[in-house]
Amino acid sequence: MTSRERVLCAIEHKEPDRVPLDLGSTPSSGISAIAYNNLKKHLGMESGATRIYDVVQQVAQPEEEILDRFGVDVIDVGRAFNEKDCDWYDVTLADGSTGQYPVWFRPEKQADGSWLAKDGEGVIARMPVGATFFDQAAFPYLDDYPESWDGLDHAMGRVLWSALVHSPWDHAGEDGFYETLREKTLRLRQSTDRALMIVCGCNLFEWGTFLRRMDNFLMDIMADEENVEALLEQLMIRHMATLEKVCAAVGDIVDILRFGDDLGMNTGLFMPPEKYRKLFKPHHTKLNEYVHGHSRMKTLLHSCGSLYPILPDLIEAGYDILNPVQTSAYQMDPEVLKREFGRDITFWGGGCNTRSVLNHGTPAEVYDHCRRRIELFGEGGGFVFNQEHNILPDVPPENILAMYKAVADSE
């Protein structure tokens, strides 16, 4: 099987020749720059560069040598952008190692060693001393909802996830962007047999938290449905316009479109299930219906945390794939998930617990843990191996190798 065939076979709930593997096809299924540098050093790789394509989370874009070494089966179309050396510049990371930022990202180092990212109106993100990612600093609707939605696009542009967005969307404001996106994606399709992913966001709940701040938006959901619904309607106007352009540009080339909306936390959902069903599910359904009706792409939802009570709703809403399958969260037991939902949705993740096993286990413990997960989730297809969210800076390279050996041994 080619990599693309392997991934599509798994999504169709058939068993491929081996479990497909993802590393870095989304900014929530990749590896931090520091961990990436440590891995390259351990492997004796001295060439190339650690390019931090997601500057908020400080996530590296895996190089071809790494993709080939571990047999990675899917890549992000964003890697077709910012291809030249002049698109990047060297920076020193928190551990003293070297990475590269895209030239448009110029955070300012402070006297205390922290970093600030600014726009024309002030600070939008900050990274404290010793930290390994940027925190949001600007919440445009912190005090209240606006009287008019005329300024919503400007407000969204001040949020770090928009202002500091990863490729290809860092080029979205350029003339002819969608024509360029198609050209580069076609070239990528012709040069690789890997499956192709496009990250499209279209967040709803999360945009509420970005604009209002988490505490305020959670109270809004319970006590101010009118404003929540009005905001969601405005967001959907923008999301549907984006989806229309994406599907027209690459819907016949790309295999998977990645949505995002973190609906859960470690201990449960962010809201009662009935609130999700009333406020968010109809919009999620509309997003999925459009993609399925206007492209050949499968839809992936990235949603962290405990999702068990609404998994049937996410399936009904039309999601084909769930990531990162956070099995360390409440009610996310992998055996239960596979037994109850494994025929209806593909689990893209859940392959290795990143909170206690990948970072703190021995290589032997990591290998055994991953082998058990592969045997469980891989039966009957419906599984793409990925650790639960990104590989963080504290993960030893020996454990990363043990994880990928477990995947290789699944053949």
Side-chain angles (χ1 to χ4, degrees), residues 69-361:
R69 181 184 289 262
F70 297 121
V72 176
D73 294 298
V74 55
I75 53 176
D76 176 15
V77 301
R79 70 190 297 116
F81 289 74
N82 304 328
E83 297 176 281
K84 300 175 183 177
D85 290 342
C86 62
D87 294 327
W88 305 85
Y89 71 99
D90 287 352
V91 294
T92 301
L93 305 180
D95 69 337
S97 64
T98 300
Q100 290 187 339
Y101 283 158
V103 292
W104 55 259
F105 182 59
R106 299 282 178 172
E108 300 175 7
K109 190 170 185 178
Q110 305 302 294
D112 64 356
S114 63
W115 293 86
L116 299 180
K118 301 178 180 180
D119 64 4
E121 299 177 43
V123 177
I124 60 172
R126 58 171 54 92
M127 184 163 64
V129 178
T132 55
F133 55 86
F134 280 84
D135 294 314
Q136 183 175 347
F139 297 88
Y141 294 163
L142 179 63
D143 295 327
D144 202 353
Y145 288 89
E147 293 183 4
S148 166
W149 296 110
D150 291 345
L152 179 57
D153 291 325
H154 175 75
M156 293 173 71
R158 297 209 67 228
V159 172
L160 81 170
W161 299 105
S162 175
L164 309 178
V165 72
H166 55 78
S167 56
W169 301 106
D170 55 344
H171 292 269
E174 299 173 2
D175 291 340
F177 166 71
Y178 285 98
E179 290 79 5
T180 302
L181 176 65
R182 181 169 183 82
E183 291 170 8
K184 288 182 175 290
T185 303
L186 274 171
R187 196 180 314 141
L188 198 61
R189 172 79 287 152
Q190 293 162 2
S191 67
T192 181
D193 68 359
R194 297 186 179 98
L196 298 183
M197 173 88 69
I198 187 165
V199 176
C200 211
C202 296
N203 316 59
L204 292 168
F205 170 72
E206 285 186 314
W207 264 115
T209 68
F210 299 158
L211 292 165
R212 287 278 288 141
R213 202 173 66 186
M214 178 70 77
D215 52 347
N216 290 325
F217 194 62
L218 288 176
M219 289 188 285
D220 295 343
I221 288 172
M222 301 305 295
D224 191 4
E225 283 190 1
E226 182 178 352
N227 270 319
V228 171
E229 289 178 332
L231 174 61
L232 296 181
E233 290 293 341
Q234 290 295 319
L235 292 172
M236 283 295 293
I237 292 171
R238 290 152 176 81
H239 292 342
M240 293 303 295
T242 298
L243 282 184
E244 181 179 353
K245 295 172 184 175
V246 169
C247 289
V250 298
D252 59 333
I253 312 169
V254 171
D255 301 299
I256 307 130
L257 182 144
R258 184 261 201 193
F259 290 121
D261 231 354
D262 282 341
L263 301 168
M265 49 189 170
N266 290 329
T267 55
L269 292 168
F270 275 117
M271 68 196 81
E274 56 269 22
K275 288 288 187 179
Y276 169 75
R277 293 170 188 137
K278 179 179 181 181
L279 295 173
F280 298 97
K281 182 179 178 180
H283 297 306
H284 284 166
T285 302
K286 186 176 180 180
L287 294 171
N288 279 294
E289 286 177 347
Y290 189 87
V291 174
H292 291 144
H294 295 83
S295 79
R296 299 189 304 195
M297 296 182 289
K298 301 293 185 179
T299 57
L300 179 152
L301 173 65
H302 168 76
S303 182
C304 293
S306 174
L307 304 174
Y308 178 80
I310 61 166
L311 266 174
D313 297 289
L314 297 178
I315 293 168
E316 287 181 7
Y319 292 110
D320 300 299
I321 306 162
L322 179 67
N323 163 269
V325 197
Q326 190 181 330
T327 63
S328 58
Y330 177 63
Q331 290 188 320
M332 293 291 283
D333 180 271
E335 293 186 3
V336 175
L337 295 178
K338 182 66 175 180
R339 182 175 65 249
E340 296 189 12
F341 307 111
R343 292 181 296 275
D344 302 310
I345 197 164
T346 292
F347 295 115
W348 191 297
C352 189
N353 179 320
T354 50
R355 296 185 62 187
S356 59
V357 179
L358 187 60
N359 53 347
H360 295 309

Side-chain angles (χ1 to χ4, degrees), residues 356-382:
S356 59
V357 179
L358 187 60
N359 53 347
H360 295 309
T362 65
E365 289 169 340
V366 170
Y367 178 87
D368 290 342
H369 169 79
C370 293
R371 289 293 295 154
R372 290 193 299 270
R373 290 294 177 87
I374 291 168
E375 291 173 3
L376 171 64
F377 279 123
E379 184 178 357

Side-chain angles (χ1 to χ4, degrees), residues 39-79:
L39 177 62
K40 287 183 65 175
K41 182 178 180 180
H42 184 79
L43 294 172
M45 290 177 55
E46 299 180 355
S47 61
T50 297
R51 290 179 168 171
I52 303 169
Y53 84 106
D54 181 344
V55 299
V56 174
Q57 298 182 99
Q58 301 282 284
V59 175
Q61 180 174 280
E63 296 159 278
E64 283 290 336
E65 184 174 348
I66 290 290
L67 299 177
D68 291 340
R69 181 184 289 262
F70 297 121
V72 176
D73 294 298
V74 55
I75 53 176
D76 176 15
V77 301
R79 70 190 297 116

